[in-house]
């Protein structure tokens, strides 16, 4: 079967005292799951009081009663995410093979770490990109223009945290982190930014150790390009009118 969650102890856990470790995960479908506790080669551990607790979140639209003036309202379990602004019609999309399908420029994608293509779970098309529990990333380089506005959109599935970053030769220029709401479904995430200088930039989608994410339909749109600066029309200067001089009599 497919591994859906993993947790590892820290070096600080070793010592004479008991240390509590907790792993939170979300199941995507009903069924029988196997939970394993194991150590790596030449390592050992003593464990006790192992338990599994279930928390079920059922999103509903049931209206909540109006709180009294002295009552503090409880936070929602599944807050509605901030809606992403619409991409203007006709905006140029810069990625090749945004759906990670074979061909169509898919060789431009660079997979690092435990990243791999997956046909098991995808939003549309034939495959997605799986960023596994080890540090993973998938990236593509694109040419971006000075003072232009761009928007990144990506479909995401899984309980992990996804880091979206834009970088050039001098380092990371823009970076944001995204996480799905608590539900086993594909959800859209993204970010917008303005480029300060024309150059080739690497747009990356990354996860750190212990996070599992599938991504699909990764796109970067050019949504605003500044108008070229109008050069001022030179104003012609009037030639001075010669003043006639009186000839001597």
């Amino acid at each position: 079967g497919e591994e859906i969650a993993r947790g590892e102890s820290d070096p600080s856990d070793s010592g004479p005292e008991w240390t509590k470790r907790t792993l939170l995960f979300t199941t995507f479908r009903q069924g029988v799951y196997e939970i394993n506790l194991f150590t790596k080669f030449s390592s050992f551990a003593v464990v006790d009081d192992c338990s599994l607790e279930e928390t079920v979140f059922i999103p509903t639209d049931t209206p909540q009663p109006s709180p009294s003036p002295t009552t503090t309202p409880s936070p929602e379990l599944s807050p509605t995410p901030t809606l992403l602004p619409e991409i203007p019609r006709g905006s140029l999309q810069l990625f090749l093979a945004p759906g990670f399908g074979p061909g169509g420029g898919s060789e431009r994608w660079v997979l690092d770490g435990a990243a791999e293509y997956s046909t098991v779970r995808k939003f549309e098309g034939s495959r997605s990109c799986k960023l596994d529990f080890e540090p993973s990333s998938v990236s593509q380089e694109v040419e971006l223009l000075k003072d232009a506005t761009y928007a990144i959109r990506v479909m995401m599935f899984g309980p992990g945290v996804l880091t979206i970053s834009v970088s050039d030769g001098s380092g990371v220029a823009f970076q944001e982190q995204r996480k799905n709401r608590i539900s086993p479904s594909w959800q859209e995430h993204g970010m917008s930014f303005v480029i300060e200088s024309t150059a080739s930039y690497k747009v990356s989608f990354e996860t750190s150790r212990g996070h599992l994410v599938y991504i699909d339909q990764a796109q970067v749109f050019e949504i605003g390009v500044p108008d070229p600066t109008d050069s001022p029309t030179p104003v012609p200067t009037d030639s001075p009118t010669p003043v006639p001089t009186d000839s001597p009599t």
Side-chain angles (χ1 to χ4, degrees), residues 64-134:
Q64 300 295 324
S66 300
S68 63
T70 58
T71 303
T72 302
S74 301
E76 298 179 9
L77 292 176
S78 299
T80 302
T82 303
L83 295 178
L84 297 171
E86 292 187 4
I87 303 297
R89 184 182 298 275
S91 296
L92 179 64
Q93 200 286 117
L94 303 179
F95 277 159
L96 296 179
F100 302 104
S106 59
E107 68 278 0
R108 292 283 299 274
W109 288 110
V110 178
L111 281 66
D112 288 317
E116 62 180 357
Y117 294 122
S118 172
T119 58
V120 175
R121 180 171 286 111
K122 61 266 186 188
F123 178 70
E124 61 181 48
S126 59
R127 65 186 187 182
S128 65
C129 185
K130 179 183 179 182
L131 305 178
D132 216 333
F133 292 103
E134 297 299 320

Side-chain angles (χ1 to χ4, degrees), residues 233-241:
T233 303
V235 178
T237 57
D238 296 330
S239 300
T241 303

Side-chain angles (χ1 to χ4, degrees), residues 26-184:
T26 302
T27 55
F28 304 126
R29 57 185 176 272
Q30 183 175 350
V32 178
Y33 291 79
E34 182 179 276
I35 299 176
N36 293 316
L37 305 176
F38 62 92
T39 60
K40 296 181 180 179
F41 180 73
S42 74
S43 299
F44 79 94
V46 179
V47 297
D48 193 5
D49 195 20
C50 302
S51 62
L52 176 65
E53 298 178 2
E54 181 183 47
T55 303
V56 180
F57 296 98
I58 304 177
T60 65
D61 295 327
T62 304
Q64 300 295 324
S66 300
S68 63
T70 58
T71 303
T72 302
S74 301
E76 298 179 9
L77 292 176
S78 299
T80 302
T82 303
L83 295 178
L84 297 171
E86 292 187 4
I87 303 297
R89 184 182 298 275
S91 296
L92 179 64
Q93 200 286 117
L94 303 179
F95 277 159
L96 296 179
F100 302 104
S106 59
E107 68 278 0
R108 292 283 299 274
W109 288 110
V110 178
L111 281 66
D112 288 317
E116 62 180 357
Y117 294 122
S118 172
T119 58
V120 175
R121 180 171 286 111
K122 61 266 186 188
F123 178 70
E124 61 181 48
S126 59
R127 65 186 187 182
S128 65
C129 185
K130 179 183 179 182
L131 305 178
D132 216 333
F133 292 103
E134 297 299 320
S136 310
S137 70
V138 58
S139 62
Q140 187 173 145
E141 291 195 2
V142 290
E143 188 79 14
L144 303 181
L145 303 177
K146 173 180 171 61
D147 296 331
T149 303
Y150 296 90
I152 294 174
R153 295 291 184 271
V154 61
M155 299 303 298
M156 174 180 166
F157 188 103
V161 175
L162 178 69
T163 300
I164 307 172
S165 61
V166 180
S167 58
D168 59 7
S170 60
V172 175
F174 305 95
Q175 186 176 84
E176 293 189 13
Q177 291 188 328
R178 294 289 182 265
K179 190 178 191 301
N180 274 351
R181 292 170 293 148
I182 303 174
S183 63

